[in-house]
Amino acid sequence: MKLRRIICLFAAALPFALLSACGGSSGNDGPGQVRMINATTDYASLDLYATDALAAPAVLEDTVSSYVTIGSGTSTFKLKRAGSGTTALATDRNVASGVSHTLVAYSTAGTLRTVFMSDNEGAPTAGTGQLRVFNSSIEAGTVDVYLTAVGGTLDDVSAIANSLGSERFGAYSEIGKGSYRLVVTGAGDKTDIRLDIASIALADQQITTLILTSTPGGVLVHGLMLDQAGAVTPQKNTSSRVRLVAGTTANGSVAATLNGAALSTGLKSPTIGAYTLIPAGTLTTDIQVNGVSVPTSGLSAAAGADLTLMVLGTPAAPQVTLLSDDNRPPVTTTNAKLRLVHAVNGLNGSITLTADYSAAATDVAFGTSSTATSLPASTTYRLEATSPVSSASLYLSTDVTLLATRVYTVFMLGDQSAPLGVLRRDR
């Protein structure tokens, strides 16, 4: 026992094989195996420590480490940015003797988190595979997951994971081997597509977990297919969500198509359109005001992003602006999020938004948006938009309801002679 305590004291400086002697609780009857998958979106590379010894160095985002031997019983696992001495997260996990485990590191709600899986699911029936889903994204909320034929629709297809909440595992589904289209939707709405994988292959007796992770916009999700005791295959979202704001003077009609996806064939200004899925990447645009093409350059849509395309100015000289939308729900679940967009043509000044006389957005310039502010939910807010170049309020609304976990934008539209404020619930 004295020798064992000496070995454990200096474990960090000794070969990792000694971890099996140090980790674990009483009754240790043999080591287990542990590996880590970096399913985060905020940590490009992570080091995994066990009993203060480096177990898995520099595990890159969307990759999984090799298994390492860990003594059975309770072990403290620490995650650090690769090469850093600062612990980002420490978690105690029970390592079972003779069992392989995967520590899943993921990021959601602005924090690094983990879940511990045992890789000991029994083989399915010959000719089938097994698939389950882990929804790691608080941002995405509750989802449904469907499998259908490659190229098929979701008509008359039942979900293999139904109303799967955040940070929850679905049950394994036994599915015939072959290729499938996999679609993730918002719970109860097959038209609310969050991830669409054109084709995944499920091999004979393959056991795999689909890990859903958060995206910059908060609504769409990315995917990772993790085989039990095997490899990981990233299934990144290839889409973005974009909405059109027709905001020219003189009620100009705005049509817009991005990367072949039509946002609108003609919105009469001032109007805010609905979000539409488009292929992500560099944007090829077809934007017209009153039937006249508007040239653009340098616009792009990141995969998983939510965006607002604003067409402002006059019909003779339109201006195109692309805004990033943060539609992630507030971290505090009793709060709402609120931001301001300044799209008032001809107003030679910034706009400030107050909520119950406290600043929610300050000095927002034309064609830009504020950073969202998290506010306590209420049914009696007084919202007011003002500008230093106007003696009167640009927008004033009382007894406004802002619901908990929801995301809102006050759009200031129109022109300086007739500004129009519109409160829109984005999420």
Side-chain angles (χ1 to χ4, degrees), residues 126-131 147-150 174-182 198-206 208 225:
T128 71
Q130 289 204 125
L131 172 67
L147 283 181
T148 187
V150 174
E174 191 166 282
I175 301 159
K177 67 179 182 179
S179 295
Y180 298 90
R181 176 191 176 200
L182 188 149
S199 179
I200 63 166
L202 197 63
D204 186 21
Q205 297 191 308
Q206 179 181 355
T208 192
M225 302 291 293

Side-chain angles (χ1 to χ4, degrees), residues 126-195:
T128 71
Q130 289 204 125
L131 172 67
R132 66 174 175 178
V133 183
F134 173 56
N135 178 11
S136 79
S137 177
I138 291 175
E139 289 83 352
T142 304
V143 300
D144 297 333
V145 182
Y146 297 88
L147 283 181
T148 187
V150 174
T153 70
L154 301 186
D155 297 342
D156 303 321
V157 177
S158 297
I160 62 167
N162 190 57
S163 295
L164 184 61
S166 304
E167 300 186 286
R168 296 289 185 271
F169 280 92
Y172 277 111
S173 296
E174 191 166 282
I175 301 159
K177 67 179 182 179
S179 295
Y180 298 90
R181 176 191 176 200
L182 188 149
V183 182
V184 180
T185 72
D189 186 356
K190 290 183 178 181
T191 67
D192 180 14
I193 295 178
R194 309 295 186 84
L195 176 66

Side-chain angles (χ1 to χ4, degrees), residues 11-151:
L14 295 177
F16 189 77
L18 292 176
L19 286 174
S20 61
C22 304
S25 58
S26 59
N28 185 340
D29 56 353
Q33 300 285 318
V34 177
R35 64 176 180 169
M36 183 187 75
I37 179 173
N38 183 351
T40 71
T41 53
D42 301 321
Y43 295 82
S45 184
L46 282 170
D47 290 338
L48 173 66
Y49 287 78
T51 320
D52 290 322
L54 183 59
V59 181
L60 299 176
E61 187 177 315
D62 297 337
T63 68
V64 64
S65 72
S66 300
Y67 284 104
V68 293
T69 301
I70 305 287
S72 62
T74 301
S75 289
T76 299
F77 294 98
K78 296 179 181 179
L79 297 177
K80 304 179 182 182
R81 289 190 185 274
S84 172
T86 303
T87 297
L89 177 68
T91 180
D92 289 339
R93 301 291 182 175
N94 185 63
V95 179
S97 175
V99 174
S100 296
H101 310 75
T102 298
L103 181 73
V104 180
Y106 61 97
S107 48
T108 189
T111 59
L112 178 63
R113 308 186 184 202
T114 62
V115 67
F116 203 52
M117 308 189 313
S118 296
D119 299 335
N120 61 349
E121 180 71 15
T125 306
T128 71
Q130 289 204 125
L131 172 67
R132 66 174 175 178
V133 183
F134 173 56
N135 178 11
S136 79
S137 177
I138 291 175
E139 289 83 352
T142 304
V143 300
D144 297 333
V145 182
Y146 297 88
L147 283 181
T148 187
V150 174

Side-chain angles (χ1 to χ4, degrees), residues 298-339:
L299 299 180
S300 64
D306 280 3
L307 303 162
T308 295
L309 179 74
M310 299 200 300
V311 183
L312 311 177
T314 67
Q319 303 172 39
V320 177
T321 302
L322 191 63
L323 301 178
S324 294
D325 299 341
D326 180 3
N327 286 328
R328 295 171 296 180
V331 174
T332 302
T333 57
T334 55
N335 283 6
K337 279 172 60 174
L338 178 67
R339 72 167 183 168

